[in-house]
Amino acid sequence: MRKNNIAKRLLSLALAVTMIGSGAVFFADKNNDSKAYASTTNAPSIEEIEYEKGGKVEVEFYGKVKYNNVKVTVEKLSTGKKYTAQVIKKDSDDITFKSPSYSQGCKYKFTISGIKKSTASKYTKVSGYFTVPKKTAIKIDEIEYDREDNELSFDFATKVNWKSPTVKITNESGTVVYKARIVEKDSDELELRLSSKLTYGKKYKYTITGIKAKTAANYRTLSGTFVARR
């Protein structure tokens, strides 16, 4: 994800951004998908968690990490049933794993063992949460911010329909509102022009009304967070 899209990406959600009702891009606290936690100070901090097609989950870290006999377990929160996940890929700043079983609309906890910050002395564990989206959920592929043109674009992995949409962009606390004008929208993209410039590296919130997945029956409100990135 990061290595393929870093020139384009702005986000995540982390999933998550968490989109209301969809859980497509996530971050890691059980009750608030915008946070992560680690078991010790030797553990790395999670930057973003994303559930991808095919049951893959990618976890990105702040800073560099090291592994030693790394293992991943996944627990379905509604039943407590645990699975051993297969590690698909691991790099110095992210890891991707796949579990043998996921259910749509359900929330899961994962625990990565045999991991540490690159500068730490001991290997430890780090945990987080993600939700598997339903087929009617809207999944954002990436959010990109062009500071020169002051434009913010949403690329959707899900085909969407629109009905009198509105968009609100605020700072992380919601105290500052950036007026957003819709420049263009289609079945997989939304492009906005903002009233004032965002700061690269800072987190912001978005709220989009009048949107639905093409396969869904009703229009809804989509909310989440993103980090301003090119």
Side-chain angles (χ1 to χ4, degrees), residues 6-17:
I6 195 165
K8 296 177 58 184
R9 250 191 48 195
L10 186 174
L11 210 183
S12 175
L13 100 24
L15 239 194
V17 139

Side-chain angles (χ1 to χ4, degrees), residues 8 28 40 73 87 97-98 106 127 186 204 212:
K8 296 177 58 184
T40 73
T73 58
V87 176
F97 60 85
K98 182 178 180 180
C106 291
S127 297
D186 55 32
Y204 298 88
K212 74 178 185 73

Side-chain angles (χ1 to χ4, degrees), residues 65-83:
V65 301
K66 290 184 177 179
Y67 308 96
N68 181 30
N69 192 28
V70 63
K71 296 179 181 178
V72 181
T73 58
V74 177
E75 178 185 355
K76 187 175 183 180
L77 294 182
S78 61
T79 64
K81 188 172 183 179
K82 295 182 179 180
Y83 307 88

Side-chain angles (χ1 to χ4, degrees), residues 95-178:
I95 187 170
T96 301
F97 60 85
K98 182 178 180 180
S99 176
S101 178
Y102 289 131
S103 300
Q104 293 179 26
C106 291
K107 195 165 189 175
Y108 294 82
K109 176 185 176 181
F110 66 85
T111 300
I112 305 169
S113 60
I115 189 172
K116 69 172 185 174
K117 297 175 184 175
S118 61
T119 56
S121 58
K122 296 181 180 180
Y123 288 92
T124 183
K125 299 177 182 180
V126 63
S127 297
Y129 297 82
F130 64 93
T131 302
V132 178
K134 298 178 182 179
K135 287 185 178 180
T136 57
I138 301 170
K139 185 178 185 301
I140 294 178
D141 189 24
E142 62 182 6
I143 305 174
E144 179 182 358
Y145 176 59
D146 185 335
R147 198 168 192 276
E148 183 177 349
D149 294 332
N150 204 28
E151 290 183 347
L152 184 66
S153 62
F154 293 74
D155 290 334
F156 299 98
T158 311
K159 295 295 184 183
V160 299
N161 288 340
W162 304 95
K163 184 178 182 181
S164 303
T166 64
V167 182
K168 182 180 179 181
I169 305 295
T170 71
N171 62 350
E172 187 175 6
S173 64
T175 57
V176 178
V177 177
Y178 301 84

